[in-house]
Amino acid sequence: MVVRAILSLAKRKMTEPFCLSWVFLSALMILSGALLNPSQMKRYVSTRGLILTIIIVSGVLWGLWFISTQVSILKRKNQELAMQISLLNNDCEKILRELEKLKREK
């Protein structure tokens, strides 16, 4: 997940805050896997329960990843649209000034 988050940031599919949160989540998962003792997990969770839990958690993580990439893409597109609108407003002001100038000359 760390590598995938960094690659998404490099490809500009994800913004920095989302990438940072995914890297933080990945680090927490790595630390929990290293620090928790999974050898006695069979005593508390059956094999089917563990598989079902892994499938559910994977699905939720994939859904959250998809949503965060889509929100990041939309934020970048929104910034681009704001810049284009600003340029169009500048052009419109120039045209209006020229129109006023032409009206005064008549």
Side-chain angles (χ1 to χ4, degrees):
M1 284 178 63
V2 173
V3 173
R4 189 172 178 189
I6 293 171
L7 289 176
S8 292
L9 180 64
K11 292 179 183 178
R12 300 184 55 83
K13 287 186 177 182
M14 193 175 294
T15 57
E16 292 83 8
F18 280 122
C19 184
L20 186 62
S21 63
W22 279 103
V23 168
F24 181 70
L25 180 66
S26 300
L28 283 178
M29 290 173 65
I30 291 169
L31 281 174
S32 67
L35 297 178
L36 294 177
N37 190 2
S39 63
Q40 296 184 11
M41 190 178 290
K42 286 191 176 193
R43 183 184 302 177
Y44 304 109
V45 181
S46 67
T47 305
R48 284 187 204 165
L50 182 63
I51 291 172
L52 185 61
T53 303
I54 289 172
I55 291 171
I56 290 171
V57 168
S58 297
V60 168
L61 286 176
W62 182 85
L64 291 173
W65 180 271
F66 178 76
I67 289 171
S68 63
T69 55
Q70 294 303 311
V71 168
S72 296
I73 289 169
L74 288 174
K75 284 177 78 173
R76 289 191 194 277
K77 286 182 180 181
N78 194 18
Q79 288 174 344
E80 179 67 28
L81 285 173
M83 290 188 316
Q84 290 177 357
I85 287 173
S86 176
L87 291 173
L88 285 173
N89 283 336
N90 287 339
D91 290 344
C92 183
E93 288 176 10
K94 286 179 186 177
I95 291 172
L96 287 174
R97 276 188 252 132
E98 289 180 17
L99 184 62
E100 287 296 323
K101 187 177 173 183
L102 288 174
K103 281 185 181 178
R104 281 188 235 137
E105 289 177 2
K106 281 187 174 183

